[in-house]
Amino acid sequence: MKNLKTIAIALVAALGTITATAQEKKINTSKSEIEWVGKKVTGQHSGVISFKSGTLKFSGEKLTGGKFIVDMTSVTVTDIKAGEGKEKLEGHLKADDFFGTDKHATATLAFKRIKRNANDVYTVTADLTIKGITKPVKFDIKVNNSNNTATTTFEVNRTKYDIKYGSGSFFDGLGDKTINDNFELTVNLQF
């Protein structure tokens, strides 16, 4: 009987320790951002997109989860000056043949599987939802708990999310107007 009480107390203490070390950290949306690069035959364009919200989950120092909501209406072009085509490109990116932000104001990313590698780098498989279409993506993310930051860079094939405008995979004869199917995202998080 005494051993049973000891085991029960140890179990309660262990569960309390696990619960105490598991935590969810909200990202600072004003200091976190997504930088994007879209390439075409004749060059490239770049810009930023803001987060609406996001959290990273940890067990102690170990990354165990994450979920983010991206404000697609915030898509901004940074490589063209105002009055020189910036507004036109931003409008086109928000239009239905790209991100359709009138109907799809947000995109989401939800971590599904996480594998810890060396030096606080994790390989993450996540569900990315753009324009209401969810597809898996895989990327490595570097977490720095000492300064509460995380960074990753990965590519997304836009055609999987019904963004086919200017895609040589779907349209013939585009020539130098062809836009690459993949766009690159560099994500900088502060939490």
Side-chain angles (χ1 to χ4, degrees):
M1 187 71 154
K2 189 174 182 180
N3 284 340
L4 188 57
K5 282 184 182 179
T6 304
I7 292 170
I9 290 170
L11 183 59
V12 168
L15 288 175
T17 303
I18 291 170
T19 304
T21 59
Q23 58 182 318
E24 191 172 277
K25 296 182 180 181
K26 290 184 180 183
I27 64 166
N28 182 330
T29 56
S30 65
K31 293 183 178 180
S32 300
E33 72 177 4
I34 303 166
E35 299 171 14
W36 61 266
V37 175
K39 297 180 180 180
K40 55 186 181 175
V41 172
T42 57
Q44 66 182 37
H45 290 293
S46 59
V48 294
I49 307 171
S50 300
F51 286 96
K52 275 189 98 119
S53 64
T55 56
L56 288 170
K57 293 180 182 178
F58 292 90
S59 178
E61 296 283 310
K62 184 180 176 187
L63 180 67
T64 59
K67 184 166 184 174
F68 307 91
I69 299 175
V70 177
D71 180 3
M72 295 306 293
T73 66
S74 73
V75 66
T76 305
V77 174
T78 56
D79 69 308
I80 304 173
K81 293 180 183 176
E84 296 180 6
K86 174 183 172 73
E87 298 84 358
K88 182 178 178 184
L89 181 53
E90 288 174 353
H92 194 199
L93 291 171
K94 293 175 184 179
D96 286 341
D97 54 359
F98 271 96
F99 295 110
T101 61
D102 283 346
K103 295 176 189 167
H104 306 283
T106 61
T108 60
L109 180 74
F111 292 6
K112 294 299 178 187
R113 287 187 305 282
I114 301 170
K115 179 186 168 207
R116 188 175 193 172
N117 303 317
N119 301 321
D120 295 320
V121 175
Y122 299 82
T123 299
V124 175
T125 302
D127 283 343
L128 176 62
T129 303
I130 300 174
K131 293 182 78 170
I133 300 167
T134 303
K135 298 289 181 184
V137 292
K138 191 173 184 178
F139 54 89
D140 288 341
I141 186 169
K142 168 94 172 144
V143 177
N144 187 332
N145 284 302
S146 63
N147 67 4
N148 294 323
T149 62
T151 58
T152 184
T153 299
F154 62 100
E155 289 189 345
V156 175
N157 182 335
R158 65 188 174 93
T159 63
K160 291 182 177 182
Y161 302 91
D162 197 31
I163 305 170
K164 298 174 184 170
Y165 181 87
S167 169
S169 300
F170 291 89
F171 303 101
D172 294 327
L174 293 172
D176 64 1
K177 302 221 185 280
T178 303
I179 301 169
N180 291 10
D181 289 348
N182 290 337
F183 60 91
E184 184 177 287
L185 299 175
T186 299
V187 182
N188 298 296
L189 302 174
Q190 288 200 7
F191 52 90

